[in-house]
Amino acid sequence: MSIVKDTIAITAITLVAGLALGVVQDITEGPIAQQQEQSKQEAYKAVFEDADSFEPCEVDADALAANLAENNFNAQTINEVMEAKDASGETIGYALNVTDSEGYGGDIQFTMGIQNDGTLNGISILSISETAGLGMKAKNPDFQDQFKDKKVEKFEYTKTGTTSDDQIDAISGATITTNAMTNGVNAGLCAFRYVEGGAES
């Protein structure tokens, strides 16, 4: 008889705990989603200061992924493409959320803003787990600013000093991180050309 009582008690406790967790999740889900959206908007604003607002760009995700693969960007994912709008609602460029899986410590996620004419405003890293004192230097302005206000088809990194706009100084001792960042930005530029070329659905 005690086993039945214990079973009933455990079941009741489990149900109550489950309901409580459900209620807590319902309460926190909205604010968390709101905070995540606000963080994304701030990240887009960081790479596109001239934009008044950002609206989702209707892009065929499968077709975009196929286009990236055709251009050998197999380790890069475009998570989101946003149209950057001015105060009158005109599209003045795009803000992209990119993930590159080639980082030494795992995925690197960042945003980048590109004007209609292909000029890259800059990049802003959202998440990175590279080696402290080495790959984590990718978060430093002196590295990220190398991509700022550049209009190139693609970037390459060098260890001997830059001689042109399409070159990036590699982070000393962190070639893997530098390569991941460069490829990620190049994938974003490729995606921009795809969208700007009228291939959006």
Side-chain angles (χ1 to χ4, degrees), residues 65 69 77 86 113 118 173 185 188 190:
T77 305
D86 64 14
V185 171
C190 180

Side-chain angles (χ1 to χ4, degrees), residues 48 92-96 112-116 118-121 188-189 192:
F48 219 122
I92 55 175
Y94 298 88
L96 295 84
M112 55 190 289
I114 310 172
Q115 298 173 32
N116 282 337
T119 300
L120 177 60
N121 290 336
L189 291 172
F192 161 76

